[in-house]
Amino acid sequence: MRQCTATAEVPPVDLLVAILAGQGRVNESELVGTSGPVRCELALWHEGEHADHVWDWRDQPTHALWARWTPDGTMRFESLRWCETNRLPDDDACTLYQAHAREHSWDVRDPETEALRRSILANYAGWLAQLTRKPD
C-alpha cells in the first residue's frame, strides 16, 4: 500500500512546548532537525487525522510524540504508545503508534523512496549486477 502524501508545517514553538511538557527539559542540540514539514506515515486512504512521528521520549521508550493534523491543517501533538505488533518470522516491529489506521509500517511504501529505487535499478542495473555477482 502506498504511503499517504499529506504534509503540514510544524509550528516550532508548539512542538517545543509539547516536548517540554512531556520531558521537562531538552538540550538545544537535540532539537536539530525537528522543525519543518512533516509527512503522514499512514497508508494512503486512511481515515481520520494524518500522523507523523516527531520525537522519541528520553525516559519513556514505550511512547513517542506524534504530530496529528486534519486536512484543514489544524495540528496537535500527542504522546502515543508504539504499536506492539511484530512481523514474523523476522520480528520487525511496526514503527507506527498503537491502534493506528489500517496497514502496519512494513506494508506502507513511501512513493518517493520507491521512485528512487526504480530509478537506481533502471540507471545502474549493470553496475549493481557486477557488485552482487559471485566471484569466479
Side-chain angles (χ1 to χ4, degrees), residues 18 49 57 64-68 76-80:
E49 296 176 311
W57 296 122
L65 187 64
W66 290 76
R68 308 280 306 267
R76 65 188 176 92
F77 298 96
E78 186 175 6
S79 182
L80 298 170

Side-chain angles (χ1 to χ4, degrees), residues 89-124:
D90 54 7
D91 210 31
D92 282 346
C94 179
T95 60
L96 299 172
Y97 55 90
Q98 195 168 46
H100 57 81
R102 301 177 54 176
E103 288 81 11
H104 292 288
S105 61
W106 53 76
D107 291 323
V108 179
R109 302 285 179 253
D110 179 351
E112 290 178 9
T113 302
E114 286 296 306
L116 177 61
R117 183 187 64 79
R118 283 191 304 274
S119 173
I120 289 170
L121 289 174
N123 294 318
Y124 301 101

Side-chain angles (χ1 to χ4, degrees), residues 1 4 40 42-51 68-71 76 97 99-103:
M1 169 66 70
C4 178
C40 185
L42 302 175
L44 194 61
W45 310 120
H46 65 84
E47 294 181 12
E49 296 176 311
H50 300 288
R68 308 280 306 267
W69 69 97
T70 58
R76 65 188 176 92
Y97 55 90
H100 57 81
R102 301 177 54 176
E103 288 81 11

Side-chain angles (χ1 to χ4, degrees), residues 13-90:
V13 172
D14 294 352
L15 175 58
L16 180 59
V17 168
I19 292 169
L20 292 173
Q23 192 165 288
R25 60 183 224 186
V26 64
N27 296 326
E28 186 176 340
S29 63
E30 292 177 297
L31 294 173
V32 173
T34 57
S35 63
V38 289
R39 186 164 141 205
C40 185
E41 294 185 42
L42 302 175
L44 194 61
W45 310 120
H46 65 84
E47 294 181 12
E49 296 176 311
H50 300 288
D52 193 6
H53 167 256
V54 292
W55 189 261
D56 287 318
W57 296 122
R58 185 181 302 139
D59 300 323
Q60 196 175 14
T62 59
H63 288 69
L65 187 64
W66 290 76
R68 308 280 306 267
W69 69 97
T70 58
D72 70 359
T74 303
M75 183 172 289
R76 65 188 176 92
F77 298 96
E78 186 175 6
S79 182
L80 298 170
R81 177 178 279 282
W82 287 109
C83 180
E84 295 173 345
T85 303
N86 290 334
R87 177 175 62 172
L88 300 173
D90 54 7

